[in-house]
Amino acid sequence: MQRSSKAFLAGIAAIFSALVATSALADDPALPTKVPSGTRIVLADDANNAASLLKLSGEYDKLAADVSFANFTSGPLRLEAIRAGAAQVGAVGDVPPILAHFSGAEVVIVGVVVTEGPSTIIATSPESGINELKDLKGKKVGINPGTAQQAIVFRNLRASGLKPEDIQPVNLGLAEFADALRAGQIDAAVLKQPDRARYLKSVAGTGAREIEDADGGNKNLKILYAAKSALADPAQAAAIRDLVVHWYRAHLWKNSNAETWARDYLVKDQRLSAEDAQAVIHAESGESYIPDWKSEIIPRQQDTIDLLKAAGTFQGKELKAEDEFDHRFDGLNDKSKSAAELHTDG
């Protein structure tokens, strides 16, 4: 009986060990790095921004995959493109990954850059009477649910002692904000560049103005996220890894090439005047850097989740920020080797 018990226990231990080993293999965080010839991915872009960044920096020509771009005016629209299979990767702000998480869209963050400077802040209509953040109380504020602009409004309200219920939210598309401000249909909205420079130029000499963000009002996150279905394919996962490395390098290139960016993207591509292009560059005067996910970005995302949930958004689900990330990409940076550098034999 004793020998049978020992044999039984040994058998259980062997089965347990096998299960642990199998689990460890299944959870292997290693990313594929070899991109087969002919691999293609589509990036859901915004105003040619990511495409121009990669091309002007010279990083586009170094990509191992055939990467193309499709433009959409907001993060939710880019998410829908990924849901529909029209794109595998999207360039977004901080809220679309939360929307994807909440809606079960099977899309995860693979790259994050922080850009310092007031690139996205609140602008007011000509007759709003708003001079500072506390003046937003009782005003009609343009909101596009599920976007970084929504979170910027709520953070600025919190910082000024106001709550979301202290404003009159008006749900609009991001592309509608400037026209609604001009027409006085809303009193304020968060405008990104170059839209803000264009809008303020069109209402020069009126009471329209920019309202500076409160400390921490705008987190200035630039995020790449990708479909889990693409990441489950070794060829596309390797192509996305390669894209992230070159995207990081392109952002750091921009730090020391602001004038090239102004001339070739803002003026030539986005049709801003040279004066307005300089206003955009001034708004992005800070350095872009690649942040640490665990100590900086995941806590930031959790704060945004909690802020939006307190305002009545994303109710009915417990959302943990760490679940929004593909942690195999954590630690990648501009010094990481690209696919071509890892596989010199092609």
Side-chain angles (χ1 to χ4, degrees):
M1 184 72 175
Q2 188 175 10
R3 293 183 69 179
S4 298
S5 297
K6 286 181 178 178
F8 176 77
L9 291 172
I12 291 295
I15 292 170
F16 180 76
S17 296
L19 286 172
V20 169
T22 302
S23 175
L25 288 172
D27 293 337
D28 185 353
L31 267 171
T33 59
K34 192 170 183 65
V35 182
S37 177
T39 303
R40 298 182 177 183
I41 56 175
V42 177
L43 189 154
D45 202 359
D46 178 18
N48 292 330
N49 190 279
S52 297
L53 188 62
L54 286 162
K55 290 175 181 177
L56 291 173
S57 65
E59 297 299 323
Y60 181 79
D61 293 333
K62 301 173 186 176
L63 292 170
D66 178 0
V67 179
S68 57
F69 305 88
N71 283 298
F72 301 90
T73 56
S74 72
L77 292 177
R78 273 164 250 147
L79 176 59
E80 288 308 310
I82 295 174
R83 280 182 190 266
Q88 290 72 49
V89 183
V92 293
D94 55 355
V95 177
I98 302 172
L99 174 62
H101 185 191
F102 178 76
S103 61
E106 298 295 302
V107 176
V108 286
I109 294 170
V110 295
V112 185
V113 167
V114 176
T115 299
E116 297 173 326
S119 58
T120 308
I121 62 177
I122 294 170
T124 71
S125 66
E127 306 298 330
S128 72
I130 298 170
N131 296 304
E132 53 186 322
L133 288 172
K134 68 179 183 180
D135 297 333
L136 289 169
K137 186 171 184 177
K139 299 294 186 178
K140 294 177 289 184
V141 179
I143 297 289
N144 187 233
T147 65
Q149 282 82 350
Q150 179 187 27
I152 291 169
V153 170
F154 290 166
R155 285 192 205 100
N156 278 302
L157 290 174
R158 178 175 65 184
S160 58
L162 299 176
K163 298 178 181 178
E165 54 265 34
D166 290 326
I167 62 169
Q168 299 178 51
V170 179
N171 289 353
L172 295 169
L174 295 181
E176 300 174 288
F177 281 176
D179 285 340
L181 286 168
R182 287 188 196 94
Q185 295 170 348
I186 55 177
D187 299 303
V190 173
L191 295 183
K192 63 184 178 180
Q193 294 289 27
D195 296 340
R196 189 166 79 251
R198 289 171 172 155
Y199 165 71
L200 291 171
K201 178 95 170 176
S202 73
V203 292
T206 71
R209 66 181 66 222
E210 297 173 310
I211 306 296
E212 287 190 14
D213 286 317
D215 186 29
N218 183 8
K219 296 182 182 295
N220 283 330
L221 298 188
K222 292 177 172 62
I223 288 172
L224 284 183
Y225 64 3
K228 286 186 178 180
S229 57
L231 293 167
D233 177 84
Q236 290 198 325
I240 292 167
R241 178 198 176 280
D242 184 66
L243 171 63
V244 170
V245 171
H246 288 292
W247 182 73
Y248 281 152
R249 293 177 183 178
H251 271 285
L252 298 192
W253 166 89
K254 185 181 167 188
N255 284 341
S256 55
N257 290 275
E259 292 308 315
T260 300
W261 181 251
R263 182 187 68 239
D264 293 343
Y265 173 64
L266 296 172
V267 175
K268 290 183 180 178
D269 187 274
Q270 293 297 297
R271 306 299 182 191
L272 267 66
S273 68
E275 180 185 354
D276 291 342
Q278 288 305 311
V280 174
I281 293 299
H282 179 72
E284 294 186 345
S285 56
E287 294 278 298
S288 291
Y289 66 91
I290 302 162
D292 181 74
W293 286 12
K294 289 184 177 66
S295 65
E296 182 175 356
I297 299 307
I298 291 174
R300 281 187 178 196
Q301 282 295 93
Q302 191 63 54
D303 178 69
T304 301
I305 289 169
D306 296 342
L307 176 70
L308 292 171
K309 288 194 78 171
T313 309
F314 304 129
Q315 295 295 313
K317 243 186 205 183
E318 186 65 30
L319 300 178
K320 293 185 178 179
E322 58 262 31
D323 296 337
E324 295 171 6
F325 295 76
D326 185 331
H327 293 274
R328 296 177 300 168
F329 287 80
D330 188 9
L332 281 181
N333 56 50
D334 60 305
K335 300 294 190 300
S336 301
K337 289 188 175 182
S338 68
E341 291 163 347
L342 286 167
H343 304 284
T344 56
D345 55 343

